[in-house]
Amino acid sequence: MAVLGLNDPGEGDWARLRGLQYSSLAKTTMLRIAAHVAAAIGVFWIYYPFVHFALLGGWILALGASLFYGGQIDRDLVDADKRRIGRDEVNRQTLGSVGIALVWVVPMALFAPYGDSMARLELWAVCAMLMTACAVMLPAVPLANLMFAGIVGIAAIASFLWTVSLEMVAVTVLFIAVVARGAVENARSFLTARVAEAGMAERNEVVSLLLKEFEEGEADWLWQIDTSRRVRSISPRFAFALGLSPEEIDGKSFIELIAGPAWETGQFPSSLHDLAERLKRRESFSNLLVRVTINGHQRWWELSGTPKLDENGSFDGFRGVGSDVTEQRESSEKIAHMARYDTLTGMPNRMMITEALGEAMRYADQWRTRCAFLMLDLDRFKAVNDTLGHLVGDQLLARVAERMRSIASDNELCGRLGGDEFAIVVRDASDHTRVERVAKSVIEVLSRPYEIDHHTLYIGASVGSAIGPRDGTTVETLMRNADLALYRSKEEGGGQHFGYEPELHAHAEERRKLEFSLRRALERNEFALNYQPVVDANDENIVSFEALLRWNSEEHGPVSPAKFIPLAEDTRQIVPIGEWVLREACREAARWPAHVKVAVNVSGEQLLDTGFIPSVVGALSASGLPAQRLEIEVTESIFVRDATTARTALEQIMALGCGVALDDFGTGYSSLAYIRNLRFSTIKVDRSFVQGAATGSPESLAIIRAVVAMADSLEMSTTAEGVESETELAVVRQLGCRKIQGYYYGRPMPADDARALFAMPTLRRSAVV
């Protein structure tokens, strides 16, 4: 829109850019007129046999008048590059082009009906030539080109529609679209080039000025005032700094010259008021930073001055030096801004948030009130970043920042701590419900869908909060306690707000101790594997065992897998632990009958580790277990984190001859794409669907039927998980599941008990339930 001249963005001096854009019109006026004249001759030649000479002559005179008017407009803009062009001048030029276009409508509307089809095509060729010439020769006025092409093109379309030439209508529409696109792109390139030229000229001017300053010595200038604080003995540099001639300055009030409009209103900036007071008290000053207004523009001067005495020792005014430090000041402000604001989102960063929280705590202490600190983490952001890339992730963070700013009041400061962590400082939290309302608003607003690069993204937010000074008397304590509350929110599944409670310290300490013990569990041989049988749905013979990890800690006793597995994944201890599980499971499976397989669960951290494939090969080699007897179980979540790497790793596993089972199908990020691309050996139906089917849930029954049908068509096996009763067994058998796993046939058991099952003629359910 800005290139077309329909609006002027707030940033940049677009009035000057328009001048650069339109100043080149006068150079092509004669060439443009020549093109129209040539086209007019062509029209005259085509329709002279069909149209009365007076009508043709009148049209040519109208065209000449419109071209003359357009030429006058172009000549008025010849100096536009040296000034700022107004909106009325842009509109005047555009209207001139519209007038010329309307003149060219006449042949299409009045002449074409008198001629034959060949004359109409020749007229269209002339008009098309003219539209193309305008788009090429007039890159400075894309809007005028679009108006000309649009008006003449619409007239041509109407003419072809009148004669029912639909193919020519289509050709005309396509041609207009191409010309319009070309005109816009040509204009954008032209404007970019002119801006670059202007920038180069400006830089050359600055360089010349700097060289001149270097030749003349120091860039500082001298100033001198009398006892009435009026300027005397003006130096050329000082006059230049004020933008006036020495004659205009001599005898004027020093403060008046640099105060600008404030001289009339009396509302001086504090720095200027300070200067006036020092002059009034006749005090020396050095490197005083003063905000001045020169020709309507604010500048920063650094002034030094000392009282001047006459031969009798009486006060005779002031003498001093000054320099313009606006650029240095702006650079300092920019650096200060960058130090306190996040470059990606424009929000306050960790430094500024910490300072704001400190100020809020001082305010709360002074007025015996409360403040609050909310820390929030984006749910599922990592999946977006890993799958769609950092560019989309950065855009998503910027959108999150916009939404947070939209709900923040003057009482809250929102900022970004880093990564996908944000924070909110509530200055006055004396209203007990304020923190809860802010947290709920954040979760609700950030959980709405985002449209980014044609992707619809869904994330959420987890929030933890701490109230000051109740939950901490220092900034560090309050931030740490809010972080503990945030961790609790993440543990509970995300999308929730939790306030700090003293018990969270105990929970965090317990987690720290558990992590410490977990890091030493392997070397202490505290891990063991249990095995749960998987049986054939028809003959109930054991076909495989699933290896399940158990931890009996020396300090903590038996620890639930639901507790230590997520901890192992968070700390990446899952990688060495997973290698041990693979080696131990393969070693044990080698002692079983040759038809019995072993299934080993693998997390996303393991699968994406570069050493995973070698660890599988090593476990098979060391145990002598055939690769066909090892089945790797993965969940759907691995494809969200890094689908390409996960698929490559699984394909390598399959190439070894191992099977790959998809666990908990339907409960996570279900997608038929990875089932189609990867030949899974088994799809495991989650126990929630098995339980639902046993109670007659139509949804669960339909899902299991669909999974079984899909697996059968793709030559994959299906395992029903969590079968615990006769009813559930009968249902999954009826639905076609080939294998069954659950407490009905056996709980997870030690290796010795698992081997003992092979001695039984049949699997005795009562013995293992």
Side-chain angles (χ1 to χ4, degrees):
M1 301 297 282
V3 172
L4 294 178
L6 295 178
N7 64 15
D8 292 341
E11 62 273 8
D13 189 356
W14 278 87
R16 181 168 174 269
L17 294 179
R18 293 277 174 256
L20 294 174
Q21 192 175 4
Y22 280 77
S23 62
S24 62
L25 287 176
K27 300 177 183 177
T28 60
T29 299
M30 296 308 299
L31 185 61
R32 194 163 71 257
I33 291 175
H36 280 276
V37 169
I41 292 173
V43 172
F44 185 90
W45 183 267
I46 294 168
Y47 283 98
Y48 180 75
F50 306 105
V51 179
H52 193 277
F53 178 82
L55 188 58
L56 286 171
W59 173 73
I60 291 175
L61 287 175
L63 179 62
S66 62
L67 290 173
F68 177 80
Y69 177 75
Q72 289 291 108
I73 296 173
D74 294 349
R75 278 191 292 275
D76 292 341
L77 295 172
V78 70
D79 64 338
D81 58 340
K82 299 180 178 64
R83 59 184 175 87
R84 287 170 171 76
I85 186 171
R87 172 62 57 185
D88 55 335
E89 292 179 285
V90 174
N91 294 338
R92 184 165 168 250
Q93 201 284 329
T94 303
L95 288 175
S97 298
V98 170
I100 296 173
L102 291 174
V103 172
W104 275 101
V105 169
V106 172
M108 283 292 182
L110 299 182
F111 299 172
Y114 294 101
D116 54 19
S117 58
M118 180 57 68
R120 189 177 294 105
L121 289 176
E122 290 173 344
L123 174 60
W124 164 243
V126 170
C127 292
M129 179 266 309
L130 198 57
M131 284 188 278
T132 305
C134 288
V136 172
M137 292 189 299
L138 299 175
V141 284
L143 182 59
N145 289 336
L146 293 181
M147 297 294 288
F148 182 87
I151 293 171
V152 176
I154 290 172
I157 291 171
S159 176
F160 289 129
L161 284 174
W162 178 263
T163 58
V164 198
S165 300
L166 298 183
E167 65 280 6
M168 285 306 299
V169 170
V171 169
T172 304
V173 170
L174 181 61
F175 180 81
I176 293 172
V178 172
V179 168
R181 179 62 184 268
V184 172
E185 292 301 322
N186 198 19
R188 182 177 286 111
S189 300
F190 175 82
L191 183 58
T192 302
R194 292 309 303 268
V195 170
E197 291 173 8
M200 182 64 71
E202 186 176 355
R203 284 192 293 272
N204 290 338
E205 183 180 349
V206 171
V207 169
S208 300
L209 181 61
L210 291 174
L211 289 174
K212 183 179 179 182
E213 292 286 357
F214 177 78
E215 291 172 353
E216 294 179 359
E218 295 294 333
D220 293 357
W221 29 261
L222 299 173
W223 60 273
Q224 184 172 315
I225 59 175
D226 59 19
T227 55
S228 302
R229 296 191 285 278
R230 297 184 179 278
V231 179
R232 302 297 180 193
S233 303
I234 303 99
S235 69
R237 287 182 180 278
F238 183 40
F240 178 79
L242 287 170
L244 300 169
S245 66
E247 293 76 17
E248 294 174 299
I249 299 170
D250 191 32
K252 289 284 186 69
S253 167
F254 183 38
I255 301 298
E256 180 183 355
L257 287 170
I258 62 178
W263 179 259
E264 300 294 336
T265 64
Q267 303 192 356
F268 300 109
S270 58
S271 59
L272 196 57
H273 189 272
D274 186 23
L275 172 65
E277 286 297 311
R278 290 172 184 265
L279 294 176
K280 183 178 179 181
R281 294 195 299 266
R282 302 177 182 179
E283 294 177 357
S284 296
F285 52 90
S286 178
N287 300 324
L288 182 65
L289 200 61
V290 181
R291 195 178 78 184
V292 301
T293 303
I294 307 298
N295 293 329
H297 299 286
Q298 288 190 354
R299 309 288 295 177
W300 286 94
W301 284 3
E302 190 175 77
L303 299 174
S304 297
T306 185
K308 183 165 63 80
L309 304 177
D310 61 14
E311 61 273 10
N312 300 318
S314 301
F315 175 72
D316 194 31
F318 263 87
R319 178 188 291 124
V321 295
S323 60
D324 192 318
V325 294
T326 305
E327 285 72 22
Q328 297 93 309
R329 171 80 180 189
E330 290 176 349
S331 296
S332 300
E333 290 178 345
K334 185 177 181 180
I335 292 171
H337 183 276
M338 292 175 64
R340 285 173 169 76
Y341 286 87
D342 177 57
T343 54
L344 175 62
T345 63
M347 300 183 82
N349 61 11
R350 181 180 289 272
M351 175 187 289
M352 189 170 179
I353 290 169
T354 303
E355 292 175 353
L357 181 56
E359 178 60 32
M361 295 189 74
R362 285 189 291 272
Y363 178 85
D365 182 61
Q366 178 182 356
W367 299 102
R368 298 295 184 268
T369 182
R370 305 194 310 171
C371 64
F373 182 72
L374 286 75
M375 186 177 289
L376 62 104
D377 186 87
L378 301 182
D379 303 331
R380 298 180 296 279
F381 173 77
K382 193 174 189 306
V384 173
N385 222 22
D386 290 341
T387 54
L388 300 179
H390 292 286
L391 183 59
V392 172
D394 288 349
Q395 293 182 63
L396 180 56
L397 290 174
R399 295 283 185 85
V400 167
E402 290 175 6
R403 293 190 183 184
M404 289 187 66
R405 279 192 288 262
S406 70
I407 62 175
S409 68
D410 294 338
N411 190 39
E412 291 97 35
L413 174 75
C414 299
R416 182 185 178 210
L417 297 175
D420 61 344
E421 284 192 337
F422 293 80
I424 302 174
V425 176
V426 181
R427 180 180 177 85
D428 184 0
S430 52
D431 179 357
H432 294 273
T433 64
R434 180 62 188 167
V435 173
E436 185 66 30
R437 292 203 309 271
V438 170
K440 284 185 177 180
S441 297
V442 168
I443 293 172
E444 191 274 328
V445 169
L446 298 189
S447 298
R448 296 172 187 167
Y450 299 80
E451 296 291 336
I452 298 177
D453 283 356
H454 309 294
H455 298 286
T456 301
L457 307 178
Y458 294 88
I459 59 171
S462 301
V463 182
S465 64
I467 307 295
R470 184 193 70 188
D471 299 331
T473 56
T474 66
V475 170
E476 294 75 15
T477 304
L478 206 61
M479 293 181 75
R480 184 177 68 249
N481 291 343
D483 194 23
L484 288 174
L486 173 61
Y487 185 79
R488 168 77 183 282
S489 176
K490 299 290 284 186
E491 274 191 329
E492 294 295 326
Q496 303 177 68
H497 165 236
F498 279 90
Y500 169 75
E501 298 172 356
E503 294 79 11
L504 293 178
H505 273 294
H507 180 75
E509 181 63 17
E510 179 190 358
R511 186 179 188 274
R512 186 191 65 79
K513 290 179 179 178
L514 197 65
E515 179 184 341
F516 182 74
S517 299
L518 183 64
R519 293 184 181 277
R520 298 187 297 171
L522 268 180
E523 61 187 58
R524 291 180 170 183
N525 295 318
E526 294 177 352
F527 289 119
L529 289 183
N530 281 1
Y531 301 88
Q532 185 174 28
V534 179
V535 304
D536 187 287
N538 296 320
D539 57 22
E540 297 187 330
N541 287 325
I542 297 175
V543 294
S544 65
F545 282 92
E546 181 178 359
L548 300 167
L549 183 62
R550 298 293 183 262
W551 179 25
N552 188 12
S553 171
E554 181 180 318
E555 292 89 358
H556 306 279
V559 183
S560 168
K563 200 170 189 178
F564 75 80
I565 293 295
L567 181 60
E569 289 179 337
D570 287 346
T571 59
R572 286 193 56 81
Q573 288 297 300
I574 196 68
V575 174
I577 293 173
E579 291 180 6
W580 178 87
V581 171
L582 270 171
R583 291 195 304 269
E584 184 66 17
C586 291
R587 185 186 63 79
E588 179 62 28
R591 304 169 69 180
W592 300 341
H595 69 281
V596 180
K597 297 182 179 181
V598 65
V600 177
N601 290 284
V602 173
S603 75
E605 289 290 339
Q606 289 177 262
L607 196 65
L608 300 179
D609 186 75
T610 55
F612 177 65
I613 302 301
S615 70
V616 173
V617 174
L620 293 171
S621 301
S623 63
L625 183 73
Q628 293 77 12
R629 292 180 59 195
L630 174 62
E631 192 170 56
I632 300 296
E633 287 194 11
V634 297
T635 61
E636 299 166 301
S637 61
I638 64 167
F639 297 101
V640 175
R641 179 166 177 184
D642 190 339
T644 303
T645 305
R647 178 180 173 183
T648 302
L650 292 178
E651 287 174 343
Q652 290 176 323
I653 291 170
M654 293 176 183
L656 293 174
C658 301
V660 177
L662 185 59
D663 199 6
D664 299 335
F665 180 74
T667 62
Y669 306 91
S670 300
S671 171
L672 296 179
Y674 48 74
I675 294 180
R676 180 192 64 201
N677 295 331
L678 290 168
R679 303 294 296 179
F680 291 101
S681 57
T682 304
I683 296 178
K684 303 188 76 172
V685 180
D686 187 70
R687 70 184 302 268
S688 61
F689 299 126
V690 172
Q691 291 174 333
T695 58
S697 167
E699 293 83 3
S700 297
L701 288 167
I703 289 173
I704 295 179
R705 286 195 188 99
V707 171
V708 169
M710 178 184 63
D712 288 344
S713 65
L714 296 174
E715 299 181 353
M716 300 177 187
S717 181
T718 49
T719 299
E721 292 185 295
V723 175
E724 299 180 357
S725 66
E726 284 279 1
T727 304
E728 293 174 351
L729 175 63
V731 169
V732 296
R733 272 179 171 167
Q734 182 184 0
L735 292 172
C737 291
R738 298 185 187 180
K739 294 182 288 187
I740 299 171
Q741 179 181 355
Y743 287 0
Y744 185 78
Y745 285 109
R747 294 176 180 271
M749 61 192 74
D752 293 341
D753 293 345
R755 285 197 303 273
L757 296 180
F758 298 123
M760 299 180 184
T762 59
L763 193 61
R764 294 179 295 168
R765 300 165 193 161
S766 59
V768 296
V769 174

